[in-house]
Amino acid sequence: MSQFDSRQNVVIVGGGPTGVQVFNTLETKLDASKYNLVLITARPYFTHLIATIRMVVTSEGQLENSILMPFGSRFNEGNKKLIIAKVTSVVDNEKEHYVTLDNGERISFLTLVLSPGSKWEGPLAFADNKEETLEQVTEWRGKFEKAQDIVLVGAGAVGIEFAGEIKDQWPDKNVTIVHGQSAPMNAVYPLRWREDISRRLHKRGVNLIVDDYVDTFEPKDGQITTRKGKSITADLVVATRGTRPNTKFIESLGSDVLTPAGLVKVSPTLQVPNHPNIFAGGDVIDWDEQKQAGKAATHAGVIAQNILLLLDKTKPLTIYKGSYELIVVTIGKAGGAGYLSALWGITLGDWLCALLKSKYLLIDMTKKSLRLP
């Protein structure tokens, strides 16, 4: 059993937005004489996912130099430790509390935070080291540049943003999105807003096929055929569908911890049921809300506060009450569509979306808010 010293370990699994923000809060509030603060993550840097779509489409701006953000030395100072590894299992019973790493090492914990994020497919399925990631990025840039007829499978935010970036770089390329619902995005958002996105895509010259699916990603004789039999000219087919929760290793806690979809069951205090010393947050929790990095700050705030309350043993824990749905979908550098579920439903157009996200992709703001070098 790995022990850094006589102090007990508060362990965070996952170096994404939720994990880093829990770490940042606890590093100034945990009693350093009693507790170590340990962050375990597969990559030696924070990946600013919001900007990765533009990064894999074009070398313009060399985003790979600014959005793969090193964690910095403070993560290894004093009672803090950064471990670059994957967690393969979790043990939490009356006698033992530890995670096992892919190198076989065990890290004990007093409290544990599970925020491992999601698994992606296609261009966003990045490796866990920078060298391989940059090779993937270069390969995808070449594919996009070479292709003339590009089919994107899925018109959620990822597919829409890919279409905008491709049209920004190559206005004359043919871009088609195939989507399984009757309008872009999903039914969480009002139909009028989704139809407005359709209009914006058509204005950029993007073809949109709805209520249909693509089951094969390899064109045959320069064509693909949808599930309903529609033929589409294609020399590149790209998966831009949703993600899957990165929770396989959590199955080791028992069959009652995950939903059939692989999401982590949580109570309103964001504790895992029957495991009061384990919390979960980010994309992986079974909560009726959209999976977005924008939710991370609220999740992290509740989790960090509840860890402190749990260790203090004097007050009841804080309840997570959810949050408004807020999304800004870029359609190239100068456009996009935004929606906030507050009041009557507030919508945003090109100018505000470009100002808030599309132009600079929140890179500097993210680096500053997460206190990354």
Side-chain angles (χ1 to χ4, degrees):
M1 186 74 69
S2 177
Q3 297 288 351
F4 305 119
D5 48 40
S6 60
R7 294 174 292 202
Q8 293 179 296
N9 298 327
V10 174
V11 175
I12 302 165
V13 177
T18 302
V20 172
Q21 290 182 84
V22 172
F23 185 99
N24 287 348
T25 300
L26 292 180
E27 75 167 330
T28 60
K29 296 184 177 181
L30 270 184
D31 186 340
S33 69
K34 295 181 179 179
Y35 308 109
N36 294 310
L37 181 58
V38 183
L39 176 64
I40 304 173
T41 185
R43 297 171 184 159
Y45 47 82
F46 173 85
T47 303
H48 181 47
L49 283 169
I50 289 171
T52 53
I53 293 173
R54 187 170 299 168
M55 177 182 71
V56 299
V57 170
T58 175
S59 61
E60 182 181 325
Q62 295 183 311
L63 292 178
E64 61 271 24
N65 295 329
S66 58
I67 71 172
L68 307 178
M69 305 174 182
F71 286 108
S73 60
R74 72 178 174 89
F75 286 80
N76 273 311
E77 294 174 349
N79 68 323
K80 296 171 290 183
K81 188 172 183 65
L82 174 67
I83 298 176
I84 307 303
K86 289 183 178 180
V87 173
T88 58
S89 65
V90 184
V91 170
D92 182 53
N93 54 47
E94 291 182 1
K95 295 182 178 180
E96 296 180 302
H97 315 274
Y98 63 86
V99 298
T100 302
L101 308 183
D102 54 0
N103 61 7
E105 185 178 6
R106 293 178 176 182
I107 307 296
S108 65
F109 63 83
L110 178 62
T111 61
L112 175 67
V113 179
L114 299 172
S115 55
S118 298
K119 288 189 173 184
W120 295 77
E121 60 179 345
L124 303 184
F126 297 117
D128 289 327
N129 65 77
K130 192 169 184 178
E131 182 179 0
E132 288 184 52
T133 295
L134 295 182
E135 290 176 359
Q136 291 174 272
V137 168
T138 300
E139 181 181 356
W140 275 104
R141 286 173 179 171
K143 289 181 179 180
F144 284 117
E145 184 172 13
K146 181 181 178 181
Q148 182 57 39
D149 299 289
I150 301 170
V151 176
L152 306 173
V153 182
V158 173
I160 294 164
E161 295 194 357
F162 261 113
E165 296 300 332
I166 294 165
K167 280 295 187 177
D168 262 13
Q169 292 299 312
W170 304 284
D172 294 332
K173 287 186 186 290
N174 299 314
V175 178
T176 300
I177 311 179
V178 181
H179 191 53
Q181 299 191 36
S182 61
M185 303 297 289
N186 62 47
V188 166
Y189 305 102
L191 183 59
R192 59 183 172 83
W193 181 70
R194 298 166 67 194
E195 290 174 339
D196 180 61
I197 292 179
S198 296
R199 180 187 64 80
R200 294 174 186 275
L201 288 170
H202 287 306
K203 187 177 179 181
R204 292 298 306 271
V206 176
N207 304 308
L208 182 62
I209 297 173
V210 296
D211 291 322
D212 208 346
Y213 299 86
V214 171
D215 296 313
T216 178
F217 289 79
E218 291 297 328
K220 184 177 181 180
D221 299 326
Q223 299 278 321
I224 62 165
T225 302
T226 70
R227 194 178 294 179
K228 290 185 174 180
K230 184 176 181 62
S231 293
I232 307 170
T233 301
D235 50 15
L236 180 63
V237 183
V238 183
T240 57
R241 301 174 294 193
T243 59
R244 293 178 290 116
N246 181 27
T247 55
K248 180 70 176 175
F249 71 96
I250 300 174
E251 291 179 357
S252 55
L253 279 175
S255 60
D256 60 337
V257 172
L258 300 179
T259 70
L263 296 169
V264 182
K265 299 175 184 178
V266 291
S267 68
T269 55
L270 298 186
Q271 290 167 292
V272 177
N274 302 316
H275 298 274
N277 57 336
I278 301 181
F279 297 83
D283 288 357
V284 300
I285 65 170
D286 181 29
W287 200 272
D288 187 18
E289 62 184 11
Q290 295 295 282
K291 309 303 182 186
Q292 296 169 313
K295 306 280 196 322
T298 310
H299 291 187
V302 170
I303 291 170
Q305 184 175 5
N306 282 343
I307 288 174
L308 295 170
L309 291 170
L310 191 68
L311 296 177
D312 189 49
K313 300 179 182 179
T314 58
K315 297 179 181 178
L317 302 191
T318 299
I319 301 297
Y320 176 61
K321 298 178 181 179
S323 58
Y324 289 117
E325 292 297 344
L326 169 63
I327 190 168
V328 175
V329 182
T330 70
I331 306 178
K333 300 180 187 67
Y339 177 76
L340 172 63
S341 63
L343 301 175
W344 55 88
I346 299 170
T347 59
L348 309 176
D350 287 337
W351 184 82
L352 268 177
C353 289
L355 180 68
L356 293 173
K357 179 182 175 184
S358 305
K359 189 173 183 181
Y360 298 114
L361 298 174
L362 308 175
I363 296 171
D364 291 339
M365 187 191 82
T366 298
K367 189 175 290 189
K368 182 178 180 180
S369 68
L370 296 182
R371 296 166 47 213
L372 298 172

